[in-house]
Structure formats: structure tokens, C-alpha cells
């Protein structure tokens, strides 16, 4: 049993991540919320990274949280792990079983439908495909606006007075959404169509757990231009 | 006030089976309502407007959707008996990781094994066995994924275990010869009382698979 930087080996926290990834962002927000000290390690080439292959041999993906010698994989999984392990900070998931089930449901929706649609717009090969992906994404936004109204009950966040599981899950997608808005000319989060989300987004960006780790939009735009060699980004 | 528990279900669905098993593990009295997936009920469309899928658990009028979400909800509400989800945060994280693996890497090829032929089916068989071998390595020499206890990951897999025999018949292969330890655990799970009462006869599932293959012209 040794010490790393004054912290017991078993308690030492490392996060393997990549700055543009919305999934990594989720885990950083969760760690910040709970004020967990951690070492952040930028993985520039995840497919060829020894650490990534070692700690996530099944999927070879980041983020990976390493707590002591225990690896935890998958962004939402990590957020839940952080919530359950560091109990002194504000709760990320609600305590009521029904509310917890609702929160989990919406974060799965965000990954399966919303993120897939964002990707769909980015990789669309032609105008027809792009139009369909945009329509799907607009549907997602409308549904999330309704969900925001139901969950927030007039307060600032999906989680109520403070950011919670759905805020983290969806808020991490705001960067990619802004990039798409810039290139497609479509406003996905709109003051008239989605007024709740519109104001929520500003509050989310300003939150003390989010602000220090949210990637700069211009940098994300440049990253997207280099990564997606599709017509939308030219 | 007595709890009202309704499960919107479909007899052959591995996902529906998960919810049934969890409810029976906890000794919860529930009403099972069979859905016609080709003509979904207004109640299903109202209770799961986003995905319109079963299972949906309706507890005192409030809907919970997505099978493992339902299982976790059942475990948290009826927490007194037969704990399903581990209490240790790291074990929970591991369980959730494997559920995600099962519902992507096992689900996708499994769906093709019974519904396709030729090269597509051969590739699906290969991918399916590969995924099962990864799970078998994770199982190790434990009787269940949950260790000594039938738990979250076991419930998730049992839905698929019920379909193993029909898969083998549809695609002419033996899962046991490829994954003997996993099959031993599967047999253990399939003998549990909550499971015996929750899953259909494999012959009925095979008959359904054949009927659908004929309809699809496979």
C-alpha cells in the first residue's frame, strides 16, 4: 500500500479521456460536482493506447475511470459510480425509485436517439439524408423540452434546483449541438420552440461544475471539420 | 392501500421475461397483460409513447419502461427479499457494464440467428459465440454472474437462455460445446422457481421462430 501524490493507492482516481468527447465531459462534471480530486490523462489515440486496451479490452473506448486499481467504463455507468461512491456531495440521481427510473430512461434515450441523430447529421452523405437526420433531431429536442418542463417543475434544471443525471447526460451534448447549429444553419435549441431548454443551456454552461471542463465551441468546430470529412462541414 | 402492479408484456420476449422473473423473485403479485405487438394497445402507447415497446411496468398508475430499468426499479421498491442488484458501487458498475454488453453484443447477433440464413446467419453465429465466450470468461467458476446469488446479470441473460434451444435448432449448432461453463450456469438459472414460472417452453419458442421465418420468406 503506497501513496501517490499523498493519496492512498486504493483511493487514487484517474480518468482516461479525450477533450472533445461528450461522454468524457459527463464524467468530469460528475467528479467536479462531488469535488473528487483526480488525475486527468488525455488519450490522443485511443485505438492504439496501451492504457485504454488494458483497462477496457472489451470496447477499447474512453472514458475510463480508474479508482485505485478498479476500472469503471461507460460514461453513464461512471456517473452513477461517482454518485454512489462519493456520498458527501450533492446527489446526482434522485432517491425515489420512480424518479430514478425516469432519469435512467431519459439518459438512455439521449444516447440512443439524440446522440445518434447528432451523429446522423454530421455524417449524412447528401442533402436528403441530412434533412431526415435534422428532422429526427428536432423531434428529440421537442421531446426533451417536454421532459424538461415535467422534471424541472419550474426550477432551473432537470434535476430540480441542482444539476442531476439528465442534466449531465443531455448537457454534455450541447457542444456537439452548437457545432451542428453553426454548420447546418438550424437552431436546435430555440428560444421560441424550446424555451425551457434554451434558458437551461445557459444555466448549465455557467454551473461551477461544468464551466471549467466544457470544451470551447470554436475548438469543437475545428475538431469536427477535421474529423468529419462530409459535405456539411465544408 | 394495496399495490396495483400491471406488466404489459409479450410471452416470447426475452425482455418481458426479465421483468416477470424479477417480480416473482420478490414475490410481487402482478397482473400480466399480453400485448399483440402488431396491434399495440392504447394503454401501451400511452404508457410508453417514446419507444412503444414492452415490457412496461405500471405501478399504481405510473409507468416504468426498458427491461433492466424495470428490474432495477423492482429491486429498489421491493427491497426486502432476494436482492437482485449488488450494494457495492463497484460491483454495481460491473453489473451495469455487462448488461450493456449483453444488450448490444449478444442481442444483435441473437436477433439474426433465428431470422436469417446463409452467410448472414453464419456471421451472426460467430459473433454470438464470441460474445458468449467473453461472458463465460467473466463468469469464471462462479455458479452465477452474481457470485453465489442469482442476480442482475443472470436475470438479463436468462431471457436469452430461454431462446438457446430454438437458436441451436434454427442455425444448427451447439452452444454447450462452445461454452460449457456458461451453459452449466444457464441450466442452474433455468431451474429456479421464478424462472420456471416465467419462461415459455422452448418448443413453443421454436414454433414461433419457424412461423415468423416462413412469414418473412426465410
Amino acid at each position: 500500500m503506497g501513496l501517490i501524490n499523498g493519496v492512498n493507492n486504493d483511493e487514487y482516481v484517474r480518468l482516461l479521456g479525450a477533450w472533445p468527447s461528450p461522454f468524457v465531459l459527463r464524467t468530469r462534471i460528475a467528479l467536479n460536482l462531488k469535488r473528487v480530486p483526480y488525475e486527468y490523462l488525455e488519450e490522443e489515440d485511443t485505438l492504439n493506447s496501451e492504457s485504454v486496451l488494458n483497462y477496457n479490452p472489451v470496447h477499447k473506448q474512453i472514458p475510463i475511470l480508474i479508482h485505485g486499481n478498479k476500472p469503471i467504463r461507460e460514461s453513464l455507468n461512471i456517473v452513477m459510480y461517482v454518485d454512489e461512491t462519493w456520498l458527501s456531495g450533492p446527489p446526482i440521481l434522485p432517491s425515489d425509485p420512480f424518479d430514478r427510473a425516469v432519469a435512467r430512461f431519459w439518459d438512455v434515450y439521449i444516447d440512443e436517439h439524440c446522440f445518434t441523430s447528432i451523429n446522423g447529421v454530421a455524417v449524412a452523405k447528401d442533402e436528403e439524408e441530412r434533412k431526415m437526420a435534422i428532422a429526427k433531431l428536432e423531434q428529440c429536442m421537442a421531446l426533451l423540452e417536454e421532459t424538461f418542463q415535467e422534471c424541472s417543475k419550474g426550477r432551473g434544471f432537470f434535476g430540480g434546483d441542482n444539476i442531476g443525471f439528465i442534466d449531465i447526460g443531455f448537457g454534455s451534448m450541447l457542444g456537439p449541438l452548437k457545432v451542428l447549429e453553426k454548420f447546418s444553419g438550424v437552431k436546435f435549441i430555440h428560444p421560441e420552440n424550446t424555451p425551457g431548454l434554451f434558458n437551461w443551456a445557459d444555466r448549465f454552461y455557467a454551473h461551477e461544475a461544468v464551466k471549467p471542463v466544457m470544451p470551447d465551441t470554436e475548438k469543437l468546430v475545428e475538431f469536427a471539420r477535421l474529423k468529419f470529412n462530409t459535405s456539411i462541414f465544408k | 392501500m394495496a399495490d396495483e402492479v400491471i406488466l404489459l408484456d409479450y410471452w416470447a420476449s426475452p425482455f418481458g421475461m426479465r421483468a416477470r422473473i424479477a417480480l416473482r423473485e420478490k414475490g410481487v403479485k402482478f397482473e400480466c397483460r399480453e400485448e399483440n405487438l402488431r396491434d399495440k394497445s392504447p394503454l401501451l402507447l400511452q404508457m410508453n409513447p417514446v419507444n412503444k415497446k414492452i415490457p412496461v411496468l405500471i405501478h399504481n398508475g405510473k409507468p416504468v419502461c426498458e427491461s433492466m430499468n424495470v428490474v432495477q426499479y423492482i429491486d429498489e421498491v421491493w427491497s426486502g427479499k432476494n436482492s437482485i442488484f449488488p450494494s457495492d458501487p463497484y460491483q454495481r458498475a460491473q453489473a451495469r457494464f455487462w448488461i450493456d454488453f449483453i444488450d448490444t453484443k449478444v442481442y444483435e447477433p441473437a436477433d439474426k440467428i433465428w431470422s436469417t440464413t446463409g452467410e448472414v446467419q453464419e456471421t451472426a453465429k460467430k459473433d454470438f459465440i464470441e460474445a458468449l465466450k467473453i461472458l463465460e470468461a467473466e463468469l469464471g467458476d462462479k455458479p452465477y454472474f452474481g457470485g453465489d446469488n442469482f442476480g442482475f446479470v443472470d436475470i438479463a441473460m436468462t431471457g436469452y437462455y430461454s431462446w438457446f434451444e430454438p437458436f441451436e435448432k434454427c442455425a444448427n449448432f451447439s452452444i454447450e460445446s462452445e461454452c460449457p461453463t456458461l451453459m452449466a450456469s444457464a441450466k442452474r438459472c433455468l431451474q429456479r422457481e421464478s424462472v420456471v414460472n416465467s419462461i415459455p417452453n422452448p418448443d413453443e419458442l421454436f414454433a414461433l421462430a419457424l412461423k415468423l421465418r416462413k412469414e418473412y420468406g426465410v
Side-chain angles (χ1 to χ4, degrees), chain B residues 137-152:
Chain B
E138 172 59 23
L139 178 69
D141 54 12
K142 303 193 293 289
Y144 300 103
F145 284 100
D148 289 324
N149 299 312
F150 180 72
F152 202 57

Side-chain angles (χ1 to χ4, degrees), chain B residues 22-204:
Chain B
L23 286 164
R24 292 193 169 105
E25 282 286 311
K26 300 290 189 171
V28 177
K29 288 198 172 20
F30 67 101
E31 180 194 339
C32 201
R33 288 198 198 163
E34 187 69 12
E35 284 286 331
N36 176 349
L37 299 184
R38 291 176 178 181
D39 184 15
K40 293 175 180 177
S41 72
L43 184 62
L44 174 56
L45 299 176
Q46 184 202 344
M47 291 287 151
N48 190 0
V50 176
N51 294 327
K52 307 177 179 56
K53 286 184 185 175
I54 59 92
V56 179
L57 185 79
I58 310 172
H59 184 203
N60 295 330
K62 297 202 295 193
V64 181
C65 310
E66 299 293 307
S67 64
M68 292 321 286
N69 216 10
V70 169
V71 172
Q72 191 170 344
Y73 176 83
I74 291 167
D75 194 38
E76 290 176 5
V77 171
W78 291 281
S79 53
K81 182 183 169 187
N82 283 349
S83 189
I84 292 173
F85 209 25
S87 51
D88 170 71
Y90 182 64
Q91 306 281 1
R92 290 161 72 89
Q94 288 293 87
R96 286 189 301 256
F97 174 82
W98 288 110
I99 298 300
D100 184 70
F101 178 85
I102 290 163
D103 282 348
T104 44
K105 304 289 186 192
V106 173
Y107 170 72
E108 282 160 14
D111 207 34
K112 295 199 176 97
I113 284 175
W114 69 268
S115 63
T116 63
T117 53
E119 235 180 270
V120 179
Q121 192 187 53
E122 284 307 305
T123 308
K125 263 160 64 178
K126 188 175 134 294
D127 293 343
F128 181 70
I129 292 294
E130 211 173 282
L132 291 187
K133 284 190 184 227
I134 292 174
L135 282 165
E136 191 175 54
E138 172 59 23
L139 178 69
D141 54 12
K142 303 193 293 289
Y144 300 103
F145 284 100
D148 289 324
N149 299 312
F150 180 72
F152 202 57
V153 179
D154 303 286
I155 292 182
M157 278 305 289
T158 304
Y160 290 107
Y161 293 154
S162 69
W163 271 92
F164 273 14
E165 222 180 273
F167 287 162
E168 287 174 327
K169 287 182 181 165
C170 286
N172 194 28
F173 70 127
S174 159
I175 297 171
E176 179 149 23
S177 65
E178 300 276 2
C179 305
T181 331
L182 185 70
M183 275 309 286
S185 182
K187 286 175 184 171
R188 228 169 264 126
C189 293
L190 290 168
Q191 281 162 12
R192 263 182 102 75
E193 197 183 326
S194 64
V195 175
V196 166
N197 292 328
S198 300
I199 65 171
N201 190 302
D203 293 336
E204 290 173 354

Side-chain angles (χ1 to χ4, degrees), chain A residues 91-209:
Chain A
I92 296 174
L93 273 132
S95 52
D96 174 74
F98 181 73
D99 295 336
R100 290 161 65 79
V102 168
R104 288 191 305 260
F105 175 86
W106 284 108
D107 271 3
V108 170
Y109 174 83
I110 286 158
D111 279 356
E112 285 185 1
H113 295 270
C114 186
F115 179 71
T116 307
S117 304
I118 289 172
N119 219 42
V121 176
V123 305
K125 293 190 276 296
D126 54 46
E127 196 56 44
E128 187 66 43
E129 250 188 62
R130 182 156 53 246
K131 265 189 181 161
M132 277 176 52
I134 286 175
K136 178 93 213 285
L137 192 47
E138 284 176 325
Q139 270 175 15
C140 289
M141 294 302 114
L143 199 48
L144 286 165
E145 171 71 16
E146 262 180 53
T147 305
F148 175 75
Q149 299 296 349
E150 275 169 32
C151 291
S152 65
K153 298 182 180 51
R155 291 166 299 166
F157 299 99
F158 286 89
D161 292 318
N162 205 347
I163 66 175
F165 199 56
I166 308 178
D167 299 279
I168 294 175
F170 185 42
S172 60
M173 296 293 153
L174 288 171
L177 275 171
K178 283 189 186 226
V179 171
L180 285 189
E181 285 182 339
K182 185 183 165 90
F183 285 107
S184 68
V186 175
K187 276 240 160 275
F188 294 106
I189 295 188
H190 193 279
E192 278 165 38
N193 300 344
T194 58
L197 292 183
F198 187 77
N199 293 315
W200 163 82
D202 285 340
R203 281 192 292 272
F204 185 79
Y205 264 82
H207 194 283
E208 58 170 4

Side-chain angles (χ1 to χ4, degrees), chain A residues 19-20 44 122-123 179 182-183 217-234:
Chain A
W19 73 265
E44 283 176 14
V123 305
V179 171
K182 185 183 165 90
F183 285 107
T217 308
E218 283 313 310
K219 281 193 177 161
L220 280 177
V221 162
E222 212 32 59
F223 173 80
R225 222 183 234 128
L226 292 170
K227 178 176 174 172
F228 297 101
N229 200 21
T230 44
S231 54
I232 188 174
F233 294 106
K234 295 213 189 341

Side-chain angles (χ1 to χ4, degrees), chain A residues 45-89:
Chain A
D45 182 9
T46 54
L47 289 177
N48 293 310
S49 158
E50 233 181 86
S51 302
V52 173
L53 289 171
N54 184 35
Y55 288 110
N56 192 357
V58 175
H59 296 306
K60 307 177 184 60
Q61 282 173 346
I62 47 85
I64 304 169
L65 186 79
I66 307 159
H67 186 195
N69 58 0
K70 297 181 294 202
I72 300 102
R73 302 146 289 190
E74 307 286 303
S75 64
L76 297 176
N77 209 5
I78 293 170
V79 173
M80 286 190 261
Y81 176 80
V82 169
D83 194 35
E84 291 167 7
T85 304
W86 287 279
L87 302 173
S88 60

Side-chain angles (χ1 to χ4, degrees), chain A residues 2-24:
Chain A
L3 294 177
I4 309 174
N5 295 343
V7 179
N8 184 317
N9 256 347
D10 290 345
E11 296 304 315
Y12 195 71
V13 181
R14 280 171 291 168
L15 180 70
L16 305 186
W19 73 265
S21 163
F23 305 104
V24 171

